[in-house]
Amino acid sequence: MKNGSSFTGFILLGFSDRPQLERRVLFVVLLIFYLLTLLGNTTIIALSRLDPHLHTPMYFFLSNLSFLDLCYTTSTVPQLLVHLRGADKSISFGGCVAQLFVSLWLGSTECILLGVMAFDRYAAVCRPLHYTVIMHPRLCALMASASWFTGFTNSSLQTVLIFLLPLCGKNKIDHFFCEIPPLLKLACVDTTVIESEVFSVCVIVLLIPVALITFSYGQIVRAVLRIKSAAGQRKAFGTCGSHFTVVSLFYGTGIYIYLQPSNNYSQDQGKFISLFYTIVTPMVNPVIYTLRNKDVMGAMKKPPGMLM
C-alpha cells in the first residue's frame, strides 16, 4: 500500500477522453473567458477602492467576492490552458495538494461570503434607518475575516483527509484539476467514511448559508411588497436580484458536485459543471452586478481623475 507521498506527481487526463472536442477552439474560448474574468473582477475591485460613493458595506463585500473569483479562476484555468496546448499533462504531488487546498479554501469562503452579503441586503432593505449602525465597518471586516478563516479551516481539514488515503500507485486523475470527487476514485480502500465526512462538511458550508439566504430574501420580499412606490420596489428588487442570480449559479453547481451520492456522480458531467463554476461563473459575476447597478455604471463612466 502506497500513500500519495510516494508519488512524484499525477497525470490530469482533462478532456483527453473526448477527442471530438477541438482543443484549439476550447483553448481560445477558455482564454477569452479567462481574460474577461480578469478584466471584469479587477474593474470591480478598482472601482470599489477608488470611488468614494462605493465605500459602503455592499461594495466592500463585492470587492472581496471579485478577489475570490480572480484567485479561484487563476488556481485552475492557466494550468488547463497549458495542458490543452501541450502533451505534458502532469502535476506534481505538491502542486496537486496546493491546488486542492486553494480551490477548497476559496470556494468555501465564497459560500460563507454570499450568505454574509444576503444579510447585508436584508439589513439595507428591512432595517434602512439602522443600516449604518448594524453594518458598521468593524462588523463588516469581522464578518469578511470570519468567512476567510472558516474557508481556510474547512480546506485544511479536507485536504489532509483526502491525501492521507492510500492510492496504491494510482496517479491518473480523470479531471482537469485536483478536486475531491476524482481524487477519491484513486483510493484503493473503502472511502465511505471520508465521503460521509466530506458530505457532512459540505452540508454545513453549503446549506447553512443557503438557509440564511432563503430567510433573508423571504424577509426582503415581505418588506419590498409593503413599499407603495413602484420605483422603490424596482430599485430594491434590482439590487437584490443581482446577488440572488449569483447565488443561484454558484450554489446550484456546488450542490450538484458535492451533495450527491458518489455512485450517481458522472465524471463527464462533473468536468463540465466544474468548468462552469471555475470559469463561467467568475466571468459573469461582474457583468451581473454592473449591468443592473447604477452606482457601478456611473463610476465606470467617470474620468479617472474624478474617481479619487
Side-chain angles (χ1 to χ4, degrees), residues 173-244:
I173 302 174
D174 191 10
H175 212 290
F176 63 87
F177 77 105
C178 294
E179 195 174 27
I180 289 179
L183 282 170
L184 284 174
K185 292 186 177 296
L186 297 185
C188 54
V189 294
D190 184 14
T191 60
T192 303
V193 175
I194 298 295
E195 288 176 14
S196 300
E197 183 278 331
V198 170
F199 181 85
S200 300
V201 172
C202 288
V203 165
I204 295 172
V205 173
L206 283 169
L207 295 190
I208 288 181
V210 167
L212 175 61
I213 291 167
T214 303
F215 171 78
S216 298
Y217 276 96
Q219 297 299 311
I220 288 171
V221 170
R222 289 179 59 189
V224 170
L225 292 178
R226 289 197 295 265
I227 299 175
K228 296 181 179 180
S229 167
Q233 288 184 349
R234 284 195 300 270
K235 182 179 179 181
F237 278 128
T239 302
C240 298
S242 301
H243 178 255
F244 187 75

Side-chain angles (χ1 to χ4, degrees), residues 106-119:
L106 298 174
S108 303
T109 302
E110 186 160 343
C111 286
I112 307 299
L113 189 64
L114 287 172
V116 170
M117 291 174 72
F119 174 75

Side-chain angles (χ1 to χ4, degrees), residues 276-297:
F276 185 86
Y277 68 71
T278 55
I279 184 66
V280 178
T281 302
M283 182 196 70
V284 301
N285 282 356
V287 177
I288 292 171
Y289 278 111
T290 54
L291 288 182
R292 303 184 65 177
N293 193 300
K294 294 181 180 180
D295 294 332
V296 176
M297 293 298 291

